[in-house]
Amino acid sequence: MYTVAQLVGGVWGAGGDGGELVVRDPADDTPVSTVPVATADEVGKATQAARNAAAQWAATAPAERAAALHRAADAVAAVIDELAAAVTAEMGKPLADARGGVEAGIGTLRQYAELAPLRGGRTLNGEADALDFLTPQPRGVVAAITPWNDPVAVSCGLLGAALVTGNVVLYKPSERTPATGWLLARALDQALPAGVLSLLTGGPEVGAALAAQEVDVVAHVGSTATGRAIAAAAARTGAKLLLENGGSDPLIVDAGVDPEWAAEQAALGAFANAGQICVAVERLYVHREVADDFVAALVRRAEALRLGPGRDPGTELGPLVDRRHRDHVHGQVAAAVADGARVRVGGEVPDGPGAFYPATVVTDCRHDMPLVREETFGPVAPVVVVDSFDEALRCAADSPYGLAATVLTRSMSHAQRAWRELPVGTVKVNAVFGGAPGGAAHPRRASGQGFGYGPELLDEFTATKAVHIEAPGGGHW
Ligand code: NAD
């Protein structure tokens, strides 16, 4: 059992007068973590304490901050097993995936430690006796509000980039993975001056209290509804916003592709991490020509997945994060069935403890069903059969979200049309996951705003200042 503590003004164990939360293992409902809840007053005091620490960290040489981030990455690497176990215990994903997420986070910390000191401004060509340049400066106090689905990787990105560029950070991890956030903050804090990183814990009300503070940046990775509430709060304070929010990513299966291979890709995209990935495949537009063979192959793959607790090495599909979320996933499936869709495999809530939900394939779906249009965030593959690539592209583009999309096709012209025409941040052709290091994209519409990843995230946490210097009157320095 983890006993989480907050970190405020460089002091561990501060505050928590807002009560206590208990997180339960989604595999068996046993209690995993007890968590203090910050009051709004504590959030205000933590923000003031962070503000007091900001000037000194901003004035620290970039190379020194980078060295601190490297030491922080070492400290996280030293507790990699503990962190992976906490992720699995709190949100359920298979242990090997949880470890992969921690490794990704450590890699990101190291990348930012290497990249940040190399990034500068630029000089301008002004008058011969003047100096004109643009220089990036830390923004000041950053509120980082994070989700549970890949808690270490996501947090390391935001925290690493914000800290190494000279900002102080108020970190509010998800109430579903608070011990993971606490273990991460403990490791990072070992390498940082006191007060540079703060940890506040609790639920949505703590996030809302934080987003209402006079901070310089609010960086939120999470649902679209939360992102919108945070945007409204930031409109009042003037804080810069960075939002990486929900998605409903389409997968197009074109005529002429190998249905077995396409089903393998679809299963990976829809069922990995039990579908709880921002860029999971959420809706499938499949050409009529391959639809029957594709669905049969996808059903076989869904049936073959081994469902179980994330801590069992044989598990391929862990539980959903909790029963509240399972109700949401199953509710969307049940509504689609009531509206004429057909469950081909899965689609039933299993008996017994935990929040398990089977890999589910639903056919006879229509593009206008909420199961297709909204984010499900579960191991569900809703199939819409289409008669042409044009129709598939039109449906894929017709979404309130704009995170990512995948197209499986043998046609180079279809691939070209897909990446040019789809209004999303990332387009993948013939692979649901993957991409070169350093990839970063702008999510569109309800999926958020700003670069949440890649070297460009370093720019998000700095403000560019334009400087013009002339000699004093008389012409001599
Ligand atoms: P969530 O928005 O409910 O919670 C995320 C964080 O926001 C938590 O720390 C929570 O306490 C806080 N929060 C909740 N309500 C708040 C409010 N009113 N004001 C301020 N903070 C508040 O999201 P979640 O359920 O934890 O995560 C799942 C969502 O995250 C999915 O929609 C998924 O697509 C998205 N996600 C997006 C990306 C991306 O890069 N685009 C990555 C991972 C997850």
Side-chain angles (χ1 to χ4, degrees), residues 5-65:
Q6 298 195 110
L7 171 62
V8 174
V11 179
W12 280 103
D17 290 344
E20 190 179 77
L21 288 176
V22 175
V23 177
R24 292 180 179 275
D25 186 328
D28 58 16
D29 304 326
T30 56
V32 173
S33 328
T34 60
V35 190
V37 176
T39 62
D41 185 52
E42 288 168 15
V43 173
K45 289 196 172 119
T47 306
Q48 191 50 53
R51 178 74 63 197
N52 295 342
Q56 200 175 347
W57 184 238
T60 302
E64 212 178 302
R65 294 197 300 252

Side-chain angles (χ1 to χ4, degrees), residues 248-255 257 262 266 281-288 290-291 294-295 362 365-374 381-400 404-408 422:
S248 177
D249 287 5
L251 172 75
I252 294 178
V253 181
D254 202 3
V257 301
V281 167
E282 289 266 341
R283 51 197 173 110
L284 297 84
Y285 301 101
V286 183
H287 197 285
R288 193 173 298 282
V290 290
F294 169 81
V295 167
V362 187
C365 292
R366 291 190 321 274
H367 175 61
D368 64 353
M369 290 174 166
L371 179 68
V372 176
R373 291 193 67 79
E374 286 306 320
V383 177
V384 179
V385 175
V386 293
D387 288 305
S388 65
F389 186 73
D390 269 355
E391 185 185 352
L393 210 53
R394 207 168 47 243
C395 291
D398 174 31
S399 170
T406 305
V407 179
L408 306 180
L422 288 172

Side-chain angles (χ1 to χ4, degrees), residues 267 271-272 300-307 316-317 359:
F271 305 143
R300 281 196 301 278
R301 286 187 179 272
E303 281 168 345
L305 284 175
R306 270 167 301 180
L307 189 68
E316 293 168 313
L317 189 67

Side-chain angles (χ1 to χ4, degrees), residues 44-459:
K45 289 196 172 119
T47 306
Q48 191 50 53
R51 178 74 63 197
N52 295 342
Q56 200 175 347
W57 184 238
T60 302
E64 212 178 302
R65 294 197 300 252
L69 197 64
H70 267 307
R71 289 195 303 276
D74 294 341
V76 177
V79 291
I80 186 167
D81 291 329
E82 212 182 331
L83 266 168
V87 171
T88 296
E90 290 195 314
M91 62 70 67
K93 74 165 73 183
L95 197 52
D97 293 356
R99 199 184 159 91
V102 182
E103 283 167 355
I106 295 165
T108 306
L109 293 175
R110 295 205 194 285
Q111 275 176 17
Y112 286 143
E114 291 295 320
L115 286 172
L118 307 182
R119 288 170 90 80
R122 62 189 170 93
T123 55
L124 304 173
N125 298 314
E127 296 297 326
D129 57 355
L131 283 173
D132 287 272
F133 57 92
L134 307 181
T135 187
Q137 292 192 312
R139 282 187 174 265
V141 180
V142 171
I145 304 176
T146 58
W148 48 267
N149 64 318
D150 198 359
V152 179
V154 169
S155 298
C156 282
L158 293 186
L159 269 52
L163 290 166
V164 79
T165 46
N167 301 282
V168 296
V169 174
L170 295 153
Y171 173 37
K172 160 49 189 101
S174 168
E175 60 279 17
R176 282 155 155 165
T177 50
T180 304
W182 167 68
L183 288 168
L184 178 65
R186 268 200 339 188
L188 297 174
D189 178 55
Q190 286 173 31
L192 297 167
V196 167
L197 176 67
S198 306
L199 174 73
L200 293 163
T201 54
E205 70 290 357
V206 179
L210 185 53
Q213 298 297 314
E214 300 281 335
V215 296
D216 299 288
V217 182
V218 184
H220 170 251
V221 180
S223 70
T224 293
T226 301
R228 287 183 172 154
I230 288 175
R236 285 190 287 274
T237 64
K240 176 195 156 74
L241 269 181
L242 182 66
L243 297 176
E244 301 298 322
N245 293 156
S248 177
D249 287 5
L251 172 75
I252 294 178
V253 181
D254 202 3
V257 301
D258 172 5
E260 285 290 340
W261 164 74
E264 180 187 341
Q265 289 294 314
L268 183 63
F271 305 143
N273 201 20
Q276 301 166 124
I277 302 178
C278 55
V279 291
V281 167
E282 289 266 341
R283 51 197 173 110
L284 297 84
Y285 301 101
V286 183
H287 197 285
R288 193 173 298 282
E289 194 181 276
V290 290
D292 286 347
D293 292 344
F294 169 81
V295 167
L298 185 57
V299 166
R300 281 196 301 278
R301 286 187 179 272
E303 281 168 345
L305 284 175
R306 270 167 301 180
L307 189 68
R311 56 184 171 272
D312 288 359
T315 292
E316 293 168 313
L317 189 67
L320 293 174
V321 66
D322 59 22
R323 288 188 172 205
R324 176 163 60 97
H325 185 53
R326 182 172 70 176
D327 288 347
H328 158 79
V329 171
H330 186 61
Q332 279 197 358
V333 171
V337 170
D339 199 13
R342 250 177 88 200
V343 170
R344 302 294 286 266
V345 63
E348 282 182 11
V349 175
D351 291 334
F356 291 97
Y357 199 75
T360 297
V361 178
V362 187
T363 58
D364 301 65
C365 292
R366 291 190 321 274
H367 175 61
D368 64 353
M369 290 174 166
L371 179 68
V372 176
R373 291 193 67 79
E374 286 306 320
E375 186 178 51
T376 307
F377 224 53
V380 182
V383 177
V384 179
V385 175
V386 293
D387 288 305
S388 65
F389 186 73
D390 269 355
E391 185 185 352
L393 210 53
R394 207 168 47 243
C395 291
D398 174 31
S399 170
Y401 299 100
L403 204 51
T406 305
V407 179
L408 306 180
T409 183
R410 293 162 63 104
S411 158
M412 190 63 189
S413 66
H414 286 180
Q416 290 275 20
R417 282 194 61 198
W419 80 256
R420 283 183 207 279
E421 292 177 27
L422 288 172
V424 298
T426 303
V427 175
K428 296 159 283 179
V429 176
N430 293 336
V432 284
F433 296 134
H442 281 131
R444 306 200 189 174
R445 299 189 303 270
S447 291
Q449 51 182 278
F451 285 109
Y453 308 89
E456 288 79 2
L457 181 56
L458 295 166
D459 300 334

